[in-house]
Amino acid sequence: MAAYSFGWCEVGGAPADASGGKGVRQALAVLGAEAAGAPGRAGVAAAVAVELVHTFSLLHDDIMDGDGDRRGRPTAWKAYGTGPAVLAGDALFALAVETLAAEPGGARAVRTLSVALGDLVRGQADDLLFADRPWTGPERVRPDEYRAMAEHKTGALLGCAAALGAVLGGAGPETVAALDRAGRHLGVAFQIVDDVLGIWGDPRVTGKPVHGDLRERKKTFPVLVALGSPMGVRIADVLESGEAPETAATLIEEAGGRSAALTEARRHITAVETALAGVPLTAGAAGELLSLLGYLVRRDV
């Protein structure tokens, strides 16, 4: 089940050549070590740990959201059943902790991971609660609440990846904190770009159906911005009906949801650059970090 989740095999174990994701967290962990002046290999255990935790979170996230597809294939719970998929996720989490604990400086690294996991769970809980709140009115989800959720749900683990690499590379607290802060801002930008792709993305690129997030009635950033516009009531009516997602997508774009989301993503990328500029980092690794940021924001949006 773990190998299937990583894209290494089909159901039953036959070899596969499926997508294993973008590798962003592993790259951040290795670059975090290099940015602190250590060899990239010092961050390998951090890269392994964060990818194990990321996959664990996806296994559970897909179950909670009821998602049947990921990266163009059935999700693990669809392929193997809910109970086995939960256990597979738990096993990956345990292995992540073991991987870090075995490293020099492992105790500090495990503490860093624990903080990130606490935030990740908090963000996932908020995301679930958002689903039960109304589209309009005083109880609707506000964009600032969304930003906090995205920082916890997505940014915490990205920040942890860069920070863990720096921890295992022997960096001081100031550098570790700056890399964590940069990763959290990156997470918000990353999540918002994913929101744009979830509505307007090419299924051949995203691996998900067009307008998938609208069909699932997700309260994503472009939707929340559009709901706060003069067109909000009309958009809410279309979303509430669950029909014509293509109409909802058009209205959300006309209300400025798409452009506002991309602007917000770029604002957080600027915050990443500010965080990285505030501490001494090796030039090569810092340059590669900035290149990675550009790639994440440009992802076919």
Side-chain angles (χ1 to χ4, degrees):
M1 287 184 287
Y4 177 82
S5 300
F6 285 116
W8 300 339
C9 72
E10 303 294 351
V11 176
D17 189 24
S19 169
K22 294 173 279 296
V24 173
R25 291 157 192 83
Q26 303 100 299
L28 284 173
V30 173
L31 288 173
E34 292 180 347
R41 62 179 177 272
V44 169
V48 171
V50 294
E51 189 59 20
L52 289 168
V53 168
H54 176 53
T55 305
F56 139 73
S57 72
L58 295 182
L59 284 165
H60 288 197
D61 193 35
D62 286 339
I63 293 169
M64 287 183 277
D65 290 346
D67 288 341
D69 294 288
R70 180 173 290 279
R71 298 169 187 157
R73 302 201 301 168
T75 50
W77 73 273
K78 276 290 189 180
Y80 291 96
T82 302
V86 170
L87 289 174
D90 293 344
L92 293 176
F93 168 59
L95 186 57
V97 174
E98 180 183 346
T99 299
L100 287 180
E103 291 294 303
R108 185 183 174 201
V110 169
R111 286 194 298 272
T112 301
L113 180 65
S114 296
V115 171
L117 282 171
D119 282 346
L120 188 155
V121 171
R122 177 182 172 185
Q124 179 64 22
D126 285 342
D127 196 24
L128 290 175
L129 291 171
F130 287 175
D132 295 326
R133 290 170 60 179
W135 295 107
T136 59
E139 296 301 316
R140 72 179 179 91
V141 181
R142 309 286 176 169
D144 59 336
E145 294 178 280
Y146 176 95
R147 292 183 192 96
M149 178 279 294
E151 179 189 331
H152 292 132
K153 181 180 176 181
T154 305
L157 196 55
L158 288 172
C160 177
L164 276 179
V167 166
L168 296 182
E174 183 179 351
T175 298
V176 171
L179 288 169
D180 178 71
R181 187 164 58 253
R184 285 172 180 265
H185 281 293
L186 173 59
V188 179
F190 186 89
Q191 185 63 60
I192 290 174
V193 170
D194 260 8
D195 289 348
V196 172
L197 293 173
I199 299 176
W200 296 283
D202 184 343
R204 293 170 297 181
V205 176
T206 65
K208 295 183 178 182
V210 66
H211 303 144
D213 281 359
L214 295 178
R215 288 190 175 89
E216 296 171 18
R217 303 172 72 188
K218 291 184 176 179
K219 293 181 174 71
T220 58
F221 193 86
V223 173
L224 298 178
V225 170
L227 287 170
S229 76
M231 298 172 62
V233 173
R234 183 182 175 193
I235 293 169
D237 288 342
V238 175
L239 292 170
E240 189 63 38
S241 72
E243 301 173 359
E246 63 280 358
T247 300
T250 299
L251 291 173
I252 290 165
E253 186 161 12
E254 290 176 358
R258 182 173 184 167
S259 61
L262 295 176
T263 298
E264 181 71 10
R266 294 186 185 100
R267 186 176 73 82
H268 283 278
I269 290 300
T270 299
V272 174
E273 295 168 347
T274 300
L276 294 179
V279 290
L281 303 174
T282 59
E288 290 186 27
L289 280 169
L290 293 174
S291 295
L292 179 60
L293 303 182
Y295 158 72
L296 291 174
V297 176
R298 288 194 306 267
R299 288 180 296 150
D300 298 303
V301 297

